[in-house]
mmCIF file with all atom_site columns, all heavy atoms in Angstrom:
data_model
loop_
_atom_site.group_PDB
_atom_site.id
_atom_site.type_symbol
_atom_site.label_atom_id
_atom_site.label_alt_id
_atom_site.label_comp_id
_atom_site.label_asym_id
_atom_site.label_entity_id
_atom_site.label_seq_id
_atom_site.pdbx_PDB_ins_code
_atom_site.Cartn_x
_atom_site.Cartn_y
_atom_site.Cartn_z
_atom_site.occupancy
_atom_site.B_iso_or_equiv
_atom_site.pdbx_formal_charge
_atom_site.auth_seq_id
_atom_site.auth_comp_id
_atom_site.auth_asym_id
_atom_site.auth_atom_id
_atom_site.pdbx_PDB_model_num
ATOM 1  N N   . VAL W 1 62 ? -12.399 8.170  -7.603 1.00 99.00 ? 62 VAL W N   1
ATOM 2  C CA  . VAL W 1 62 ? -11.299 7.779  -6.755 1.00 99.00 ? 62 VAL W CA  1
ATOM 3  C C   . VAL W 1 62 ? -10.000 8.185  -7.405 1.00 99.00 ? 62 VAL W C   1
ATOM 4  O O   . VAL W 1 62 ? -9.763  7.848  -8.590 1.00 99.00 ? 62 VAL W O   1
ATOM 5  C CB  . VAL W 1 62 ? -11.302 6.289  -6.508 1.00 99.00 ? 62 VAL W CB  1
ATOM 6  C CG1 . VAL W 1 62 ? -10.163 5.911  -5.528 1.00 99.00 ? 62 VAL W CG1 1
ATOM 7  C CG2 . VAL W 1 62 ? -12.636 5.803  -5.952 1.00 99.00 ? 62 VAL W CG2 1
ATOM 8  N N   . VAL W 1 63 ? -9.136  8.864  -6.634 1.00 98.00 ? 63 VAL W N   1
ATOM 9  C CA  . VAL W 1 63 ? -7.803  9.153  -7.183 1.00 98.00 ? 63 VAL W CA  1
ATOM 10 C C   . VAL W 1 63 ? -6.726  8.252  -6.476 1.00 98.00 ? 63 VAL W C   1
ATOM 11 O O   . VAL W 1 63 ? -6.774  8.139  -5.224 1.00 98.00 ? 63 VAL W O   1
ATOM 12 C CB  . VAL W 1 63 ? -7.444  10.626 -6.961 1.00 98.00 ? 63 VAL W CB  1
ATOM 13 C CG1 . VAL W 1 63 ? -5.971  10.890 -7.204 1.00 98.00 ? 63 VAL W CG1 1
ATOM 14 C CG2 . VAL W 1 63 ? -8.230  11.471 -7.908 1.00 98.00 ? 63 VAL W CG2 1
ATOM 15 N N   . GLU W 1 64 ? -5.944  7.678  -7.179 1.00 98.00 ? 64 GLU W N   1
ATOM 16 C CA  . GLU W 1 64 ? -4.801  6.909  -6.696 1.00 98.00 ? 64 GLU W CA  1
ATOM 17 C C   . GLU W 1 64 ? -3.621  7.200  -7.536 1.00 98.00 ? 64 GLU W C   1
ATOM 18 O O   . GLU W 1 64 ? -3.628  6.855  -8.747 1.00 98.00 ? 64 GLU W O   1
ATOM 19 C CB  . GLU W 1 64 ? -5.060  5.359  -6.742 1.00 98.00 ? 64 GLU W CB  1
ATOM 20 C CG  . GLU W 1 64 ? -3.945  4.485  -6.214 1.00 98.00 ? 64 GLU W CG  1
ATOM 21 C CD  . GLU W 1 64 ? -4.260  3.015  -6.184 1.00 98.00 ? 64 GLU W CD  1
ATOM 22 O OE1 . GLU W 1 64 ? -5.423  2.665  -6.416 1.00 98.00 ? 64 GLU W OE1 1
ATOM 23 O OE2 . GLU W 1 64 ? -3.356  2.199  -5.978 1.00 98.00 ? 64 GLU W OE2 1
ATOM 24 N N   . SER W 1 65 ? -2.614  7.855  -7.023 1.00 96.00 ? 65 SER W N   1
ATOM 25 C CA  . SER W 1 65 ? -2.544  8.523  -5.714 1.00 96.00 ? 65 SER W CA  1
ATOM 26 C C   . SER W 1 65 ? -2.458  10.017 -5.912 1.00 96.00 ? 65 SER W C   1
ATOM 27 O O   . SER W 1 65 ? -1.936  10.474 -7.021 1.00 96.00 ? 65 SER W O   1
ATOM 28 C CB  . SER W 1 65 ? -1.329  8.026  -5.022 1.00 96.00 ? 65 SER W CB  1
ATOM 29 O OG  . SER W 1 65 ? -1.177  6.701  -4.937 1.00 96.00 ? 65 SER W OG  1
ATOM 30 N N   . VAL W 1 66 ? -2.600  10.733 -4.802 1.00 98.00 ? 66 VAL W N   1
ATOM 31 C CA  . VAL W 1 66 ? -2.038  12.090 -4.765 1.00 98.00 ? 66 VAL W CA  1
ATOM 32 C C   . VAL W 1 66 ? -0.826  11.841 -3.922 1.00 98.00 ? 66 VAL W C   1
ATOM 33 O O   . VAL W 1 66 ? -0.893  11.657 -2.696 1.00 98.00 ? 66 VAL W O   1
ATOM 34 C CB  . VAL W 1 66 ? -2.928  13.192 -4.068 1.00 98.00 ? 66 VAL W CB  1
ATOM 35 C CG1 . VAL W 1 66 ? -2.197  14.544 -4.071 1.00 98.00 ? 66 VAL W CG1 1
ATOM 36 C CG2 . VAL W 1 66 ? -4.287  13.253 -4.829 1.00 98.00 ? 66 VAL W CG2 1
ATOM 37 N N   . PRO W 1 67 ? 0.400   11.728 -4.546 1.00 97.00 ? 67 PRO W N   1
ATOM 38 C CA  . PRO W 1 67 ? 1.601   11.366 -3.792 1.00 97.00 ? 67 PRO W CA  1
ATOM 39 C C   . PRO W 1 67 ? 2.017   12.392 -2.746 1.00 97.00 ? 67 PRO W C   1
ATOM 40 O O   . PRO W 1 67 ? 1.872   13.585 -2.984 1.00 97.00 ? 67 PRO W O   1
ATOM 41 C CB  . PRO W 1 67 ? 2.694   11.156 -4.846 1.00 97.00 ? 67 PRO W CB  1
ATOM 42 C CG  . PRO W 1 67 ? 2.096   11.572 -6.110 1.00 97.00 ? 67 PRO W CG  1
ATOM 43 C CD  . PRO W 1 67 ? 0.674   11.971 -5.989 1.00 97.00 ? 67 PRO W CD  1
ATOM 44 N N   . VAL W 1 68 ? 2.577   11.889 -1.732 1.00 98.00 ? 68 VAL W N   1
ATOM 45 C CA  . VAL W 1 68 ? 2.992   12.773 -0.619 1.00 98.00 ? 68 VAL W CA  1
ATOM 46 C C   . VAL W 1 68 ? 4.509   13.026 -0.770 1.00 98.00 ? 68 VAL W C   1
ATOM 47 O O   . VAL W 1 68 ? 5.262   12.123 -0.879 1.00 98.00 ? 68 VAL W O   1
ATOM 48 C CB  . VAL W 1 68 ? 2.731   12.138 0.769  1.00 98.00 ? 68 VAL W CB  1
ATOM 49 C CG1 . VAL W 1 68 ? 3.233   13.028 1.949  1.00 98.00 ? 68 VAL W CG1 1
ATOM 50 C CG2 . VAL W 1 68 ? 1.294   11.798 0.964  1.00 98.00 ? 68 VAL W CG2 1
ATOM 51 N N   . HIS W 1 69 ? 4.891   14.338 -0.882 1.00 97.00 ? 69 HIS W N   1
ATOM 52 C CA  . HIS W 1 69 ? 6.270   14.678 -1.148 1.00 97.00 ? 69 HIS W CA  1
ATOM 53 C C   . HIS W 1 69 ? 7.193   14.138 0.043  1.00 97.00 ? 69 HIS W C   1
ATOM 54 O O   . HIS W 1 69 ? 6.756   14.202 1.188  1.00 97.00 ? 69 HIS W O   1
ATOM 55 C CB  . HIS W 1 69 ? 6.369   16.196 -1.258 1.00 97.00 ? 69 HIS W CB  1
ATOM 56 C CG  . HIS W 1 69 ? 7.679   16.653 -1.838 1.00 97.00 ? 69 HIS W CG  1
ATOM 57 N ND1 . HIS W 1 69 ? 8.812   16.722 -1.114 1.00 97.00 ? 69 HIS W ND1 1
ATOM 58 C CD2 . HIS W 1 69 ? 7.971   17.037 -3.080 1.00 97.00 ? 69 HIS W CD2 1
ATOM 59 C CE1 . HIS W 1 69 ? 9.806   17.136 -1.898 1.00 97.00 ? 69 HIS W CE1 1
ATOM 60 N NE2 . HIS W 1 69 ? 9.307   17.392 -3.083 1.00 97.00 ? 69 HIS W NE2 1
ATOM 61 N N   . GLU W 1 70 ? 8.365   13.735 -0.296 1.00 96.00 ? 70 GLU W N   1
ATOM 62 C CA  . GLU W 1 70 ? 9.277   13.219 0.753  1.00 96.00 ? 70 GLU W CA  1
ATOM 63 C C   . GLU W 1 70 ? 9.510   14.292 1.811  1.00 96.00 ? 70 GLU W C   1
ATOM 64 O O   . GLU W 1 70 ? 9.719   13.938 3.020  1.00 96.00 ? 70 GLU W O   1
ATOM 65 C CB  . GLU W 1 70 ? 10.644  12.801 0.163  1.00 96.00 ? 70 GLU W CB  1
ATOM 66 C CG  . GLU W 1 70 ? 10.563  11.599 -0.812 1.00 96.00 ? 70 GLU W CG  1
ATOM 67 C CD  . GLU W 1 70 ? 9.928   10.345 -0.275 1.00 96.00 ? 70 GLU W CD  1
ATOM 68 O OE1 . GLU W 1 70 ? 10.105  10.064 0.907  1.00 96.00 ? 70 GLU W OE1 1
ATOM 69 O OE2 . GLU W 1 70 ? 9.216   9.681  -0.979 1.00 96.00 ? 70 GLU W OE2 1
#
Side-chain angles (χ1 to χ4, degrees):
V62 183
V63 167
E64 179 176 350
S65 310
V66 180
V68 179
H69 196 281
E70 297 301 325

